[in-house]
């Protein structure tokens, strides 16, 4: 168990206060930095290869086709 710190003068108390305040500010800056890194928006992926671009276009086309089929089925059912 640690012994409590004994302060002899007000100057000792002021020095300890400044030291703690410095540590708190340093920790606060570190927490802010980590929070910004954690919640930073992700950078968009850029397709540099043509194959990935083609694959993305095919995926989008399949999704659009699927949506159109769903809309057509709902239209026929609810007509």
């Amino acid at each position: 168990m640690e012994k409590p710190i004994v302060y002899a003068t007000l100057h000792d108390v002021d020095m300890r206060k400044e030291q703690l305040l410095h540590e708190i500010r340093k920790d606060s800056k570190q927490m802010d930095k980590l929070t910004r890194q954690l919640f930073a928006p992700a950078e968009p992926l850029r397709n540099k290869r043509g194959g990935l671009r083609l694959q993305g276009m095919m995926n989008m086309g399949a999704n659009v086709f699927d949506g159109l089929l769903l809309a057509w089925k709902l239209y026929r059912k609810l007509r």
Side-chain angles (χ1 to χ4, degrees):
M1 197 164 162
E2 290 185 31
K3 292 191 295 184
I5 300 173
V6 178
Y7 301 103
T9 64
L10 287 177
H11 179 69
D12 294 340
V13 173
D14 286 338
M15 293 301 290
R16 178 70 175 149
K17 180 181 172 183
E18 287 179 25
Q19 179 186 10
L20 290 174
L21 187 60
H22 176 72
E23 290 175 10
I24 288 171
R25 286 183 178 154
K26 186 174 79 170
D27 290 343
S28 178
K29 285 180 184 178
Q30 180 68 18
M31 288 186 339
D32 287 344
K33 180 180 173 184
L34 291 174
T35 303
R36 282 192 199 103
Q37 288 176 354
L38 182 62
F39 294 109
E43 293 184 22
L45 297 175
R46 294 197 173 122
N47 295 331
K48 296 185 181 203
R49 295 184 294 195
L52 290 178
R53 224 176 292 139
L54 178 62
Q55 182 183 3
M57 288 173 43
M58 289 179 64
N59 283 338
M60 184 184 292
N63 288 336
V64 168
F65 181 71
D66 188 41
L68 289 173
L69 279 178
L70 176 65
W72 179 253
K73 287 179 182 180
L74 289 174
Y75 171 75
R76 285 182 42 206
K77 190 173 206 169
L78 300 175
R79 185 171 27 149

